[in-house]
Structures are given as C-alpha cells and as structure tokens.
Amino acid sequence: PSTLYWNELRTAVAGCQACDLHTTRTQTVFGVGDQNASLMIVGEAPGADEDRQGEPFVGRAGQLLTAMLEAIGLGREQVYIANVIKCRPPGNRDPHVEEAAACQPYLHRQIELLQPRLILSVGRVSAHNLLGTEESVGRLRGRTHRFEPGDIPLIVTYHPAYLLRRPQEKAK
Ligand code: URA
C-alpha cells in the first residue's frame, strides 16, 4: 500500500482479505472528502450504517460529527474523513490488535497522500492506534501531539458516539 495512489489504494482496500473482518463485511469503508483537505478526521471503524453505505460517519454518530463540523464552519466535503479500520467489526466490538495491524498501512498511506495540516483523532481506538499510547482520551485531549511518520500535528477528542451517550461532555 505504501506506494499506491488514491485510485489503486481504494481498489486495494476494496479487495482486502488481510484479516478476518473481510468475511463479515458488506463492503469496505475507505474514506471520504477532499483529498486536498488541511483537516483529516480519523475515527475507529465502520458501524452498521457505514458498512451498508460504504461511507464513514453516516450513522447517528456521523450526524453529530457533521453537525459539529458545521458548527465550526466546515462542511463534510471540505475535510477528509477516514477510520483506523476499513471493515465493520461484527457487533461493533473493538477491533483486535491483528486487525488494526493489518489495516494500518492503508491509513498511513492515506495520511501520506493527504499531507493534512492537522489530524483530529476521535475516540480511544483512533488515538491509541495513531499515537501508539494507551493513555485515556481525557488525558490526551487539550494538547497537540505529533503523528509519525510525517511529524503531523494531531489532536485528540471524544468520539461522537461517546458524546451521544454523555451529552454533558460536549462542551469540552
Ligand atoms: N464510528 C466511527 O468511528 N467511524 C465511523 O465511520 C462510524 C462510526
């Protein structure tokens, strides 16, 4: 994946069988948005709605994310949105370590092609995979990290699905 350009990368993801998630997916969820965006948002993995539609963040959590972007004057089409994992984990369970490892080259290549000015990592699974840490989101948020390779500024915040469960945290 590390040498592929957008179209080939998308095709490689669509046919990927590198982990068991390919046996239960409806389709892969590659990513969506502006390939020249300065802001990239990285979530965890597709849920049922994303698995059905082939696009990240289109379910309830996605609607909240879209509303949050609009609140800061950004349309979905102005940013790039992707997930750490391109296939839906059954029952929305956390991805296994092997699944995240198998999928990592795809996201890393997306980041390398995009060269965003800022990565917004939403939720624990995204933050842990991108930063290689096990610190809580509560501790990771509020400061600027760096994504390697590329030395790209990265900030962490709560996952919109978490904010749907704990709306009192939205103000943060
Ligand atoms: N949650 C995520 O992390 N990603 C999606 O695409 C949808 C829900």
Side-chain angles (χ1 to χ4, degrees):
S2 67
T3 59
L4 302 180
Y5 288 93
W6 284 111
N7 287 345
E8 301 130 359
L9 187 64
R10 181 184 289 278
T11 303
V13 167
C16 183
Q17 304 195 343
C19 81
D20 281 346
L21 293 180
H22 80 272
T23 63
T24 47
R25 74 186 178 216
T26 304
Q27 59 189 315
T28 58
V29 177
F30 180 73
V32 72
D34 180 357
Q35 291 169 2
N36 296 307
S38 32
L39 175 62
M40 179 181 198
I41 299 169
V42 179
E44 174 175 340
D49 295 300
E50 291 77 21
D51 175 71
R52 211 176 298 121
Q53 296 184 43
E55 182 172 327
F57 282 106
V58 292
R60 272 189 77 220
Q63 285 162 25
L64 177 56
L65 178 68
T66 304
M68 289 161 74
L69 287 170
E70 278 167 9
I72 57 166
L74 288 173
R76 270 173 78 89
E77 69 291 342
Q78 288 176 271
V79 303
Y80 194 88
I81 307 175
N83 287 309
V84 167
I85 305 287
K86 308 308 189 201
C87 298
R88 181 189 184 209
N92 300 340
R93 62 161 172 76
D94 282 357
H96 297 155
V97 176
E98 316 83 69
E99 293 160 357
C103 222
Q104 178 168 286
Y106 298 128
L107 179 65
H108 280 213
R109 183 61 176 161
Q110 285 177 302
I111 295 171
E112 190 174 39
L113 289 171
L114 272 167
Q115 303 275 350
R117 285 180 52 207
L118 179 67
I119 297 171
L120 171 63
S121 170
V122 297
R124 176 181 47 85
V125 169
S126 170
H128 288 185
N129 276 281
L130 288 172
L131 293 174
T133 175
E134 300 208 334
E135 259 191 286
S136 68
V137 171
R139 294 176 67 111
L140 291 168
R141 60 181 286 279
R143 56 201 164 100
T144 305
H145 306 268
R146 297 268 154 180
F147 173 78
E148 296 296 344
D151 195 36
I152 299 168
L154 182 152
I155 56 176
V156 175
T157 196
Y158 298 112
H159 194 289
Y162 169 82
L163 296 174
L164 288 173
R165 295 191 300 274
R166 312 262 318 248
Q168 67 274 22
E169 305 282 13
K170 275 191 197 173
K172 291 188 184 166

